[in-house]
Amino acid sequence: MTQMMLNPSSRIGFVALRVHDLSVMRTWYVKMLGLEILQDGRHQVLLGLQANHRVLLLLEDGGTMASKPTAGLSAFALSVPTLPVVLKQVAWLKAQGVPVSGWFKTGFSRGVRLTDPEGTGVILEYDEGPRLVVGHGYNFTDAAGKPMPSPRLPKPPARAPILPPPTFIGRLVVETPVLDETVDHVQHTLGFILQQKTASWAYLTIGDNTMHFGIEVIKRAIGPRPAKAVGAHYVSVIIPNHSMMNLLKLNLQTRGWTDFKYDAVNDYLMIDGPNHLTLWFSIA
């Protein structure tokens, strides 16, 4: 059977997080990571970039804190346009006393990792793809992070730096006790391309070096995520046309996947996968 492939022009719109303390989380993402408030409500906040009015993160209240890590989306990457942006952000974070991991590099990025106040991981990285000539050092099949020497940081800025466009959500990290089942769903139900896979880890992508996003799947012996637990609720994925939407629906039927909802009036398709990995597809 021929595998369906998601249109390479697809992109992540935003990540929706269910949070326990909306005020604390709003302040942290604004003051520490440089996101801007695009819409501020009593129960929901949209954060992103004022410069191009792009939403990157949705915070919604009502979450309950889990006593231990649970399966599902555990981290997401903010991919910024240049390495100096990462250096400036890291200098600011360190000056504020925010714990930051050692530096890593992959075949397409370099950066650091940190954790928000409620346990969701944030990868802050420079994605080299859109700035490189095709064929010159950009490699999706080298996605595992490797330690790299810490570069020299600039003097910390006096005020919280604002993330510049075209910052985007570059990849998602899913932790799961069922690696093979999750990879099969992402690859064959959702239409991603499998780039690498070991017994405990896999990386899948959509797109090419200039427009892309990835899903990293990590095997971990953890339990299921409760319905109201803090962390990722769903991820918005923007697809380019109705043909792709129809192909997604046909693929769901062909594979016998029933855990989805299609809203014909608003033209969106919400697919719930293993570990509550929920992707909400809508048309640009």
Side-chain angles (χ1 to χ4, degrees):
M1 182 182 295
T2 302
Q3 178 190 336
M4 182 208 74
M5 289 179 57
L6 200 60
N7 190 296
S9 296
S10 303
R11 61 177 175 84
I12 294 177
F14 59 85
V15 173
L17 297 182
R18 185 179 278 123
V19 304
H20 177 68
D21 192 320
L22 184 60
S23 177
V24 167
M25 293 289 278
R26 176 204 295 114
T27 299
W28 190 85
Y29 275 100
V30 171
K31 297 297 184 182
M32 297 303 163
L33 279 184
L35 294 176
E36 298 172 281
I37 297 174
L38 303 181
Q39 182 177 312
D40 198 355
R42 183 178 178 183
H43 301 290
Q44 179 177 285
V45 178
L46 300 181
L47 302 173
L49 310 178
Q50 289 281 7
N52 59 3
H53 305 288
R54 182 165 182 177
V55 177
L56 295 175
L57 193 63
L58 181 152
L59 305 179
E60 53 185 5
D61 67 5
T64 57
M65 297 296 292
S67 59
K68 55 186 177 181
T70 58
L73 181 66
S74 63
F76 63 92
L78 288 170
S79 296
V80 302
T82 67
L83 184 59
V85 171
V86 183
L87 297 175
K88 185 177 181 181
Q89 291 287 341
V90 172
W92 168 258
L93 290 165
K94 286 182 173 293
Q96 305 310 305
V98 177
V100 177
S101 75
W103 284 76
F104 70 85
K105 62 178 179 179
T106 71
F108 52 86
S109 67
R110 64 189 91 169
V112 298
R113 295 175 173 84
L114 57 153
T115 304
D116 76 19
E118 295 188 357
T120 297
V122 181
I123 302 167
L124 186 62
E125 66 183 0
Y126 162 53
D127 186 323
E128 299 174 301
R131 269 65 61 178
L132 289 177
V133 177
V134 177
H136 286 258
Y138 193 84
N139 185 6
F140 276 136
T141 63
D142 183 17
K146 305 174 187 64
M148 64 171 282
S150 298
R152 183 177 180 180
L153 298 178
K155 180 181 178 181
R159 300 175 59 185
I162 295 173
L163 289 176
T167 297
F168 59 96
I169 306 292
R171 54 189 169 121
L172 310 171
V173 180
V174 177
E175 295 185 340
T176 173
V178 287
L179 181 89
D180 291 340
E181 178 185 342
T182 304
V183 170
D184 179 74
H185 174 75
V186 175
Q187 181 179 7
H188 295 111
T189 304
L190 303 179
F192 282 66
I193 299 169
L194 180 62
Q195 299 287 358
Q196 285 178 283
K197 186 174 185 293
T198 68
S200 60
W201 176 86
Y203 189 68
L204 305 96
T205 62
I206 285 300
D208 57 21
N209 74 305
T210 58
M211 179 180 288
H212 54 262
F213 66 96
I215 295 183
E216 184 176 358
V217 185
I218 301 171
K219 187 173 183 178
R220 188 175 176 190
I222 47 181
R225 175 172 292 179
K228 293 291 186 177
V230 299
H233 185 193
Y234 62 89
V235 177
S236 161
V237 178
I238 309 299
I239 56 178
N241 50 51
H242 286 88
S243 296
M244 188 69 251
M245 183 72 79
N246 291 333
L247 190 58
L248 270 167
K249 290 188 294 181
L250 177 61
N251 196 54
L252 291 170
Q253 295 169 358
T254 301
R255 288 181 54 79
W257 193 266
T258 59
D259 203 356
F260 71 92
K261 176 184 178 181
Y262 175 63
D263 187 322
V265 175
N266 297 299
D267 214 8
Y268 73 78
L269 175 65
M270 186 170 278
I271 304 174
D272 194 16
N275 321 296
H276 293 291
L277 174 62
T278 302
L279 300 187
W280 178 2
F281 293 91
S282 59
I283 298 171

